[in-house]
Amino acid sequence: MTNNKKTILSGSTVTGDLTLGNYIGAINNWKQLQDQYECLYFLADLHALTVHQDPKILKERTYSFFAQYLALGLDPQKNIIFVQSQVHEHAELAWILTCLTPMGYLNRMTQFKEKSEKHVKNINAGLYTYPILMAADILLYQADLVPVGEDQKQHLELCRDLVGFFENRYGNGILKMPEPYIGKMGARIMSLQEPDKKMSKSDENEKNFVSIIDDPKKIEKKIKSATTDSDTVVQYDLTNKPGLANLLTIYSVLSGKTMKELEADYEGKMYGHLKVDLADLVVETLRPVQAKYSDLMKNKDHLNSLMAKGAERARAKASSTLKKVYDSVGLL
Ligand code: TRP
């Protein structure tokens, strides 16, 4: 029954904060995906180690992300949700793939170049081999589809190259060729201060995003100080009023109102009015999520047990792939 469903796999590095952009993507996609696909979601804590992490904060953030996924409505029965480091096969397959990866391919990775410029004091080999671990994440589960943003496309390409190399060398069809998943575009939520770029969870300027667990005061402040133009007419105009357009998009998604309705509601009113109302709407939308979140965070035993169950279900798949890989490369 579930066997003919395609597998979709999505990973999130455990850094930064989940944002309103993640919220909107989540509510738009998760429910629909879980019926159509076999869905795996994991928290990439091993990937997080490629930059300096305070061990305590990393642990806390891993719980926090996991709890936020659940609070946002991701169903741990219908989906497999797990923590990367709790499935040891990831690191193991990564090693096998490392031995198949030409250095030249890694040298081309633009994210490595960017990150090593940003973290000049910590250009570690993990930063360099990061895309190989990502390939292992994907290939262990025979994923058909991987939703990837622009910044991860090159990494998925490398993963596809590795499937080719493996096949050339060992030729037994063990690894499945993954494809990028281009979701039915939900709304694209942009940065609050720089509306020409995406709202990102790892943005250094926290004024650029609303975090799912920001308190109401902070949310209000961030939305009120969002960049808008100097005009006064509330009108959806992506080219000339990108900041306002972004606020209207958020408003429209959260309220279910069309742009036309919103424009009519705010005819003759100032941007300030809209910002106050939008801040309220965001606070009220996130309230139940935050309540559920803080309940979940109070009970780490419960979270640990859900994580363990997720890891166990993931491992059942991962170990079967790894066994075949070990055998075909000549490991006893
Ligand atoms: N590198 C991805 C990011 O930073 C996270 C990630 C790790 C991932 N492993 C993955 C995404 C496997 C998709 C598939 O966004």
Side-chain angles (χ1 to χ4, degrees):
M1 197 174 69
T2 51
N3 288 349
N4 50 19
K5 275 189 182 173
K6 287 193 169 184
T7 295
I8 207 163
L9 171 127
S10 167
S12 177
T13 306
V14 191
T15 45
D17 290 294
L18 295 178
T19 70
L20 192 58
N22 295 116
Y23 170 92
I24 287 169
I27 52 165
N28 282 340
N29 291 317
W30 285 350
K31 287 234 163 59
Q32 192 182 322
L33 289 179
Q34 78 191 12
D35 297 327
Q36 266 173 304
Y37 299 100
E38 169 91 355
C39 299
L40 294 120
Y41 297 90
F42 72 95
L43 300 178
D45 54 348
L46 294 174
H47 277 98
L49 293 178
T50 56
V51 299
H52 278 313
Q53 298 290 338
D54 176 322
K56 268 209 195 104
I57 295 178
L58 179 57
K59 283 183 188 172
E60 197 58 22
R61 186 173 273 141
T62 305
Y63 282 121
S64 175
F65 272 37
F66 196 83
Q68 286 182 63
Y69 272 22
L70 299 179
L72 286 170
L74 194 60
D75 183 333
Q77 256 78 52
K78 292 192 180 146
N79 304 281
I80 301 180
I81 319 170
F82 66 101
V83 177
Q84 183 186 32
S85 65
Q86 294 184 342
V87 181
H88 56 75
E89 284 81 356
H90 289 247
E92 292 166 335
L93 181 59
W95 175 251
I96 307 294
L97 297 176
T98 300
C99 297
L100 274 178
T101 309
M103 303 260 294
Y105 279 62
L106 296 179
N107 291 338
R108 292 206 301 249
M109 296 290 137
T110 51
Q111 194 176 69
F112 171 68
K113 291 182 204 160
E114 281 166 23
K115 284 197 180 170
S116 41
E117 277 165 28
K118 212 167 119 190
H119 305 276
V120 271
K121 294 219 178 85
N122 183 20
I123 307 179
N124 63 73
L127 209 52
Y128 187 63
T129 59
Y130 177 114
I132 306 177
L133 178 59
M134 179 163 160
D137 298 338
I138 296 167
L139 300 177
L140 276 178
Y141 300 97
Q142 311 287 343
D144 297 282
L145 296 165
V146 184
V148 278
E150 223 20 77
D151 62 327
Q152 299 297 325
K153 274 202 182 140
Q154 204 183 19
H155 295 163
L156 185 61
E157 244 348 280
L158 176 77
C159 176
R160 291 169 52 84
D161 288 337
L162 290 175
V163 174
F165 296 157
F166 192 92
E167 190 58 30
N168 274 342
R169 179 103 54 107
Y170 306 106
N172 38 22
I174 286 175
L175 300 177
K176 189 178 261 180
M177 187 67 87
E179 306 286 338
Y181 174 78
I182 317 292
K184 285 170 214 88
M185 248 327 256
R188 208 168 128 86
I189 306 303
M190 312 304 280
S191 153
L192 295 177
Q193 297 293 322
E194 298 159 69
D196 54 328
K197 62 177 204 190
K198 227 178 95 182
M199 185 180 280
S200 158
K201 78 186 202 346
S202 40
D203 203 310
E204 263 146 39
N205 179 1
E206 68 156 289
K207 282 178 143 186
N208 277 333
F209 59 84
V210 170
S211 151
I212 286 165
I213 52 176
D214 274 344
D215 63 55
K217 278 229 169 62
K218 218 176 203 176
I219 294 177
E220 207 177 300
K221 228 167 141 186
K222 286 178 175 178
I223 290 186
K224 281 188 186 160
S225 64
T227 301
T228 39
D229 55 273
S230 57
D231 192 27
T232 52
V233 184
V234 175
Q235 185 186 35
Y236 182 83
D237 180 346
L238 194 54
T239 322
N240 298 309
K241 306 179 173 199
L244 182 70
N246 187 38
L247 297 181
L248 283 167
T249 300
I250 299 171
Y251 205 142
S252 164
V253 174
L254 298 186
S255 66
K257 290 188 180 179
T258 64
M259 293 300 174
K260 283 271 158 296
E261 287 171 313
L262 290 174
E263 284 171 358
D265 287 351
Y266 288 94
E267 206 185 315
K269 292 187 186 160
M270 314 278 253
Y271 288 1
H273 284 119
L274 177 120
K275 285 182 172 177
V276 170
D277 293 348
L278 178 59
D280 266 356
L281 178 61
V282 172
V283 168
E284 289 315 314
T285 305
L286 292 180
R287 195 186 294 285
V289 178
Q290 295 187 349
K292 191 157 179 222
Y293 168 75
S294 49
D295 275 352
L296 285 161
M297 285 300 276
K298 279 183 205 134
N299 191 346
K300 297 274 163 72
D301 287 346
H302 179 56
L303 289 178
N304 280 329
S305 109
L306 288 175
M307 284 175 175
K309 277 189 200 125
E312 196 184 314
R313 289 169 70 197
R315 193 174 309 118
K317 295 174 183 289
S319 67
S320 138
T321 304
L322 189 69
K323 227 179 257 150
K324 290 183 214 153
V325 168
Y326 270 23
D327 180 57
S328 55
V329 305
L331 302 177
L332 289 176

